[in-house]
Amino acid sequence: MAGVSGLVRRPLQQVSGLLRRRFHQTAPAALQVTVREALNQGMDEELERDEKVFLLGEEVAQYDGAYKVSRGLWKKYGDKRIIDTPISEMGFAGIAVGAAMAGLRPICEFMTFNFSMQAIDQVINSAAKTYYMSAGFQPVPIVFRGPNGASAGVAAQHSQCFAAWYGHCPGLKVVSPWNSEDAKGLIKSAIRDNNPVVMLENELMYGVPFELPPEAQSKDFLIPIGKAKIERPGTHITVVAHSRPVGHCLEAATVLSKEGIECEVINMRTIRPMDIETIEASVMKTNHLITVEGGWPQFGVGAEICARIMEGPAFNFLDAPAVRVTGADVPMPYAKILEDNSVPQVKDIIFAIKKTLNV
Amino acid sequence: MKKMLVAAVSRVLSGVSQKPASRVLVASCNYSNDATFEIKKCDLHHLEEGPPVTAVLTRQDGLKYYKTMQTIRRMELKADQLYKQKFIRGFCHLCDGQEACYVGLEAGVNPTDHIITSYRSHGFCYTRGLSIRSILAELTGRKGGCAKGKGGSMHMYCKNFYGGNGIVGAQGPLGGQIAEAYNMAALWKLPCIFICENNRYGMGTAITRAAASIDYYKRGNFMPGLKVDGMDVLCVREATKFAADYCRSGKGPIVMELQTYRYHGHSMSDPGVSYRTREEIQNVRGKSDPIMLLQDKIVNSHLASVEELKEIDVEVRKEIDDAAEFATTDPEPALEEIAHHIYSDNPPFEVRGANQWVKFKSIS
């Protein structure tokens, strides 16, 4: 009996050894992580890594976060690291900037970036400009984060996109993640960066799951600030977007692929400093460009991209004027039919691509 | 006597009351015209004397306050239902439990006085004169809404009512910074009543965890203040009259803290039980519900009967149901109107849509 089982056991061992080797070579099972979970993990890892890191904002501690992004962190790290503030943005943003100046590494959460307008003086005048004004003496290692842009039915005062406003200011870094990998890698980089970083998240993306590649599962996974990613290579047209619209661009690309149009979709990831080189290289290959953003058209992200393309080597490669797809130039209306027509949809992107390609 | 008989006869003829005529006639003869009640003394800050500690309630006023509070209550509960049925989207901050604040305040000021409030505004929308239909249709985003569907829950306006504001504290200096507003109002002796609806919580945080001093009526510092029982409509009314007189006499601004309670969570996305207990909510409902308190006063002092109040309930329910029917069937605003009302007093101009080929017309 023993002999037989030995016979049986050996092949099994050989087989399992083979399997083990296989597992090292191929990726572990795909890990589905929502953007919310990715942000939570990223903050958790950085809180654990550096005791100077702390989170403050409204409902971030005992309520687990208004959108549950900081769920479980207060329970794990306590009152000194996860701090509930009164509803006083100017006050607590100021306190956070002061803490950063004194050597701590705060993460200051705005429940939405609409409320950051209450505190914008602290973000720009106290945080962004100080290293410059002090000729390099006083850094401000702070992260301002929270949901940005349109949600669903939250009307004019709660739907504004601040990418252009914050992207306008020297001294600030501004990042805008799309998927879970972006969220995790960028929040970690933002926290480790010694400069003030504004991280524009998106409420509608919080619950969306994405596959997190194995390298993104490491505690030292960082996405460099200032580097865009080509989400989908293509040859006919360059489509540049940030945040939730990246997903819409990929949808449009899938539809157009069936018609023989191959779009190169670029996920900006960072608004400032903008990775114009990646966009230029792409335009020099495809000869066509459209930009897509949720914010208003005037003085927006797309406007900046178009201006820079004209200033650089890619201009001569354009076979048609660059086109911008944006939110409608109106305060966000509440009624569903009006709201739907105030944000860029997949059909608007497809239309703009075809117009640019003259098909 | 004649008036009451006429009222009784018309009630019978309208068929609302199911009782035989004689009993109704007898019942109506027993109503008093008014009654006097003791009300809670207000805590005072920098004031020698405060509002009276008794209040006279006429039968007419009693029925009016009752109906208005019940309307607000039922309207908010209907909004809860419509939200769960997904007819209302986005944010929805309900004020059931706080009815006495709105009704008492309106009773203490003139319709020509100006009021501005926060996002928890539906009660004021009604007391300031918007119809239930126009409020509910605004919540459901239809063209019959008071803002033609463009504003939603937090952005409803009417004459002498400046909303409905989405940003916490914006109404202070617009009313934000409240300390700045207090300073300038006091400095320039502006006739302004600063009201704090203290419902014990700021979103999900108890006031003891957010405020170094929870004596909000004293937070005006050099500005006088009153602490008022916000669950008693008569207390609110008398305090408001007192505060309004104070302002109108040129003495400057005054703070009024209304101690009240909201049954719902901060908004419809907050269940409202993670930071407070269900026992606490039930306790307030059982002991301090503003509608119940007024009902007891009215019935016990024979200003009206329980049956009469029940009739009002039926009437209110019908009005709310009608309004909800309107709010769920009225069409959405036309897409052509998406860019209207960007500027006031402006000649029409073109507005860009999602790309340069989508153009909308903007009319003032």
Side-chain angles (χ1 to χ4, degrees):
Chain A
M1 227 32 219
V4 170
S5 60
L7 264 170
V8 169
R9 210 179 298 128
R10 231 178 295 117
L12 275 174
Q13 278 174 350
Q14 281 173 345
V15 165
S16 66
L18 255 170
L19 285 169
R20 233 180 289 126
R21 270 202 294 281
R22 269 256 171 82
F23 279 168
H24 281 306
Q25 281 170 6
T26 62
L31 195 61
Q32 287 273 311
V33 170
T34 63
V35 173
R36 174 186 285 115
E37 286 161 351
L39 288 165
N40 188 283
Q41 278 175 29
M43 286 198 286
D44 193 353
E45 287 169 10
E46 295 306 301
L47 282 158
E48 197 176 272
R49 178 181 173 270
D50 183 351
E51 59 179 7
K52 296 203 281 305
V53 176
F54 71 100
L55 171 68
L56 86 169
E58 295 155 10
E59 313 296 352
V60 297
Q62 294 187 23
Y63 195 81
D64 269 340
Y67 298 101
K68 306 299 179 202
V69 174
S70 54
R71 183 189 278 133
L73 295 181
W74 175 68
K75 222 174 179 177
K76 186 169 173 185
Y77 294 100
D79 283 334
K80 280 202 161 353
R81 308 286 300 285
I82 314 291
I83 302 172
D84 274 337
T85 63
I87 307 174
S88 315
E89 277 77 5
M90 178 68 109
F92 70 71
I95 287 173
V97 173
M101 289 179 178
L104 294 178
R105 304 189 74 88
I107 308 167
C108 177
E109 177 179 299
F110 291 121
M111 197 180 279
T112 77
F113 267 95
N114 301 283
F115 312 143
S116 75
M117 282 201 284
Q118 296 282 310
I120 201 162
D121 180 73
Q122 299 291 3
V123 179
I124 306 303
N125 279 331
S126 303
K129 298 179 184 173
T130 295
Y131 194 67
Y132 179 88
M133 295 189 294
S134 66
F137 177 79
Q138 178 64 72
V140 185
I142 187 168
V143 176
F144 297 102
R145 55 157 290 274
N148 173 62
S151 179
V154 294
Q157 291 179 343
H158 289 77
S159 306
Q160 190 169 331
C161 174
F162 289 84
W165 283 29
Y166 288 122
H168 190 58
C169 303
L172 273 188
K173 294 192 181 179
V174 181
V175 297
S176 181
W178 165 54
N179 61 10
S180 303
E181 187 186 335
D182 291 352
K184 187 163 182 196
L186 287 173
I187 189 69
K188 287 166 74 75
S189 293
I191 293 169
R192 295 190 196 189
D193 199 308
N194 286 331
N195 294 289
V197 181
V198 166
M199 173 132 147
L200 304 171
E201 299 158 12
N202 187 295
E203 198 232 311
L204 295 173
M205 295 303 293
Y206 281 155
V208 181
F210 290 92
E211 212 173 276
L212 205 63
E215 61 272 16
Q217 294 170 37
S218 143
K219 284 199 173 161
D220 281 307
F221 171 67
L222 300 171
I223 286 181
I225 294 178
K227 203 83 192 68
K229 180 182 180 200
I230 299 176
E231 294 288 346
R232 182 193 192 282
T235 46
H236 296 123
I237 183 166
T238 301
V239 180
V240 185
H242 74 97
S243 189
R244 188 157 175 263
V246 172
H248 297 145
C249 292
L250 289 169
E251 264 184 71
T254 304
V255 170
L256 289 168
S257 182
K258 298 196 188 88
E259 296 176 42
I261 299 172
E262 294 304 325
C263 303
E264 180 147 292
V265 178
I266 299 180
N267 172 6
M268 290 177 73
R269 288 179 158 181
T270 299
I271 305 291
R272 181 177 191 118
M274 192 188 292
D275 180 4
I276 196 66
E277 289 81 19
T278 298
I279 302 173
E280 280 174 334
S282 175
V283 171
M284 280 156 51
K285 182 176 76 172
T286 67
N287 310 118
H288 298 86
L289 171 65
I290 75 157
T291 69
V292 186
E293 68 200 282
W296 292 317
Q298 297 196 36
F299 309 95
V301 174
E304 176 65 18
I305 293 172
C306 291
R308 291 228 215 159
I309 289 293
M310 282 207 280
E311 292 167 359
F315 172 69
N316 287 313
F317 288 77
L318 280 174
D319 286 348
V323 158
R324 299 174 292 162
V325 179
T326 66
D329 199 16
V330 298
M332 184 66 73
Y334 168 66
K336 186 152 201 325
I337 186 178
L338 302 184
E339 187 185 52
D340 286 347
N341 282 277
S342 300
V343 296
Q345 301 186 42
V346 176
K347 64 171 170 67
D348 299 309
I349 301 169
I350 292 174
F351 185 82
I353 290 172
K354 287 186 164 173
K355 269 279 200 180
T356 309
L357 290 172
N358 205 19
V359 296
Chain B
M1 189 64 186
K2 193 176 177 190
K3 245 195 217 162
M4 283 196 284
L5 278 169
V6 167
V9 167
S10 70
R11 251 206 307 282
V12 170
L13 287 174
S14 68
V16 171
S17 166
Q18 299 303 310
K19 297 191 203 54
S22 55
R23 248 212 277 167
V24 171
L25 279 172
V26 167
S28 68
C29 288
N30 281 347
Y31 291 147
S32 351
N33 251 337
D34 55 51
T36 306
F37 299 96
E38 269 174 29
I39 53 177
K40 193 166 171 199
K41 186 174 188 300
C42 296
D43 287 353
L44 305 175
H45 176 67
H46 287 338
L47 285 167
E48 291 299 309
E49 37 163 63
V53 292
T54 58
V56 173
L57 179 65
T58 64
R59 179 181 139 81
Q60 191 181 37
D61 280 345
L63 292 173
K64 184 173 82 173
Y65 300 162
Y66 180 84
K67 185 171 184 197
T68 311
M69 290 206 283
Q70 193 68 286
T71 303
I72 297 173
R73 173 69 56 93
R74 294 268 134 226
M75 186 177 72
E76 294 296 77
L77 293 178
K78 180 59 74 175
D80 170 292
Q81 187 183 47
L82 291 172
Y83 193 91
K84 286 173 179 153
Q85 292 171 327
K86 299 199 193 297
F87 284 106
I88 300 177
R89 310 180 305 128
F91 294 137
C92 191
H93 310 87
L94 300 176
C95 67
D96 48 312
Q98 302 191 190
E99 294 86 357
C101 296
Y102 312 117
V103 176
L105 269 159
E106 194 64 42
V109 297
N110 303 328
T112 49
D113 292 324
H114 308 262
I115 297 184
I116 185 171
T117 189
S118 72
Y119 44 82
R120 202 175 305 283
S121 65
H122 306 164
F124 274 122
C125 291
Y126 183 65
T127 55
R128 282 269 96 184
L130 288 170
S131 69
I132 310 166
R133 276 190 156 204
S134 70
I135 295 171
L136 287 183
E138 186 58 36
L139 296 183
T140 54
R142 309 300 167 105
K143 66 178 179 46
C146 56
K148 304 190 172 134
K150 292 167 87 171
S153 167
M154 299 176 285
H155 311 300
M156 300 196 264
Y157 308 83
C158 68
K159 189 155 184 2
N160 294 324
F161 177 57
Y162 304 84
N165 287 278
I167 308 301
V168 174
Q171 75 273 25
L174 227 150
Q177 295 3 359
I178 202 92
E180 296 181 351
Y182 284 174
N183 181 51
M184 286 186 273
L187 185 65
W188 299 327
K189 285 203 161 27
L190 304 176
C192 185
I193 307 175
F194 290 99
I195 297 162
C196 172
E197 294 168 34
N198 179 2
N199 54 25
R200 308 196 207 169
Y201 300 93
M203 290 193 285
T205 303
I207 52 177
T208 45
R209 286 210 305 128
S213 159
I214 60 170
D215 287 329
Y216 294 105
Y217 71 109
K218 292 185 184 169
R219 297 284 290 270
N221 197 1
F222 34 75
M223 201 189 297
L226 292 169
K227 185 157 96 169
V228 181
D229 179 0
M231 303 306 259
D232 177 357
V233 65
L234 293 178
C235 199
V236 177
R237 184 187 75 185
E238 293 308 311
T240 305
K241 279 190 181 155
F242 175 88
D245 287 340
Y246 182 91
C247 289
R248 288 191 230 281
S249 67
K251 296 200 188 94
I254 188 169
V255 176
M256 225 169 69
E257 176 189 336
L258 303 177
Q259 301 220 294
T260 183
Y261 198 82
R262 53 163 165 81
Y263 295 140
H264 270 84
H266 165 71
S267 70
M268 285 302 296
S269 44
D270 170 29
V273 287
S274 63
Y275 49 87
R276 54 183 191 173
T277 61
R278 286 181 212 273
E279 285 74 44
E280 180 188 284
I281 305 170
Q282 282 309 108
N283 207 24
V284 175
R285 247 191 234 279
K287 298 207 178 94
S288 322
D289 183 283
I291 300 176
M292 177 191 79
L293 291 179
L294 179 65
Q295 176 170 339
D296 288 345
K297 285 189 165 74
I298 291 175
V299 168
N300 294 342
S301 58
H302 303 290
L303 287 175
S305 69
V306 171
E307 287 77 27
E308 217 176 338
L309 296 182
K310 281 209 171 81
E311 280 167 27
I312 292 179
D313 289 350
V314 170
E315 226 178 286
V316 166
R317 233 175 261 261
K318 187 169 183 310
E319 271 178 60
I320 302 287
D321 284 342
D322 267 356
E325 173 67 22
F326 175 72
T328 49
T329 53
D330 197 42
E332 282 192 295
L335 182 55
E336 291 73 55
E337 297 181 22
I338 190 175
H340 288 355
H341 312 121
I342 292 181
Y343 293 126
S344 142
D345 267 339
N346 220 59
F349 63 100
E350 221 166 56
V351 167
R352 189 191 155 111
N355 58 49
Q356 70 218 54
W357 299 283
V358 179
K359 293 181 182 22
F360 299 112
K361 193 159 182 203
S362 181
I363 296 181
S364 289

